[in-house]
Amino acid sequence: MVIAGFGCRAGATVESFRSALARTGARADGLAVPADRADAIAPFAEAEGLVVHAIAADALASIDTPTHSTVSMDARGVGSVAEAVALAAAGKAARIIVARVISSDRMATCAIAQGQ
């Protein structure tokens, strides 16, 4: 299973998510976001025909991510929101196959994790 994990700012649009995913160069089987951003990504998920995995905020802090953003650390207590939610949704043996990238409008990040 390949999961595209997203972090985003308030006001991120369908195009923000589309741009971030396109920059990974990957195709996803599902999407993941922090639970409080599930509504923000819902229109993009519907347009792409993909399921959204809403990850609880308390599950993120314990996930070690390959990259580290001070913005993510300050906001969520994790190095990369996109990488953390992707790993959480992809399962215990998941690994990051594309580290976080930033959308062209800088409103969303996306990382790709592969699980079993």
Side-chain angles (χ1 to χ4, degrees):
M1 173 180 287
V2 176
I3 299 291
F6 290 89
C8 66
R9 295 177 185 212
T13 65
V14 167
E15 190 52 41
S16 304
F17 297 115
R18 184 171 285 122
S19 168
L21 180 57
R23 287 177 172 217
T24 69
R27 293 186 50 87
D29 299 316
L31 310 176
V33 291
D36 65 338
R37 295 289 194 219
D39 288 344
I41 203 169
F44 175 67
E46 184 176 332
E48 297 296 315
L50 295 171
V51 172
V52 175
H53 302 270
I55 307 300
D58 61 350
L60 301 179
S62 64
I63 298 174
D64 187 32
T65 60
T67 68
H68 295 89
S69 159
T70 56
V71 173
S72 290
M73 275 305 248
D74 292 345
R76 303 277 181 164
V78 66
S80 167
V81 172
E83 292 170 357
V85 296
L87 288 166
K92 292 183 188 263
R95 61 186 176 88
I96 294 294
I97 58 172
V98 180
R100 74 181 156 89
V101 297
I102 303 171
S103 64
S104 59
D105 64 2
R106 304 192 62 76
M107 295 294 287
T109 58
C110 182
I112 307 295
Q114 184 169 17
Q116 295 180 358

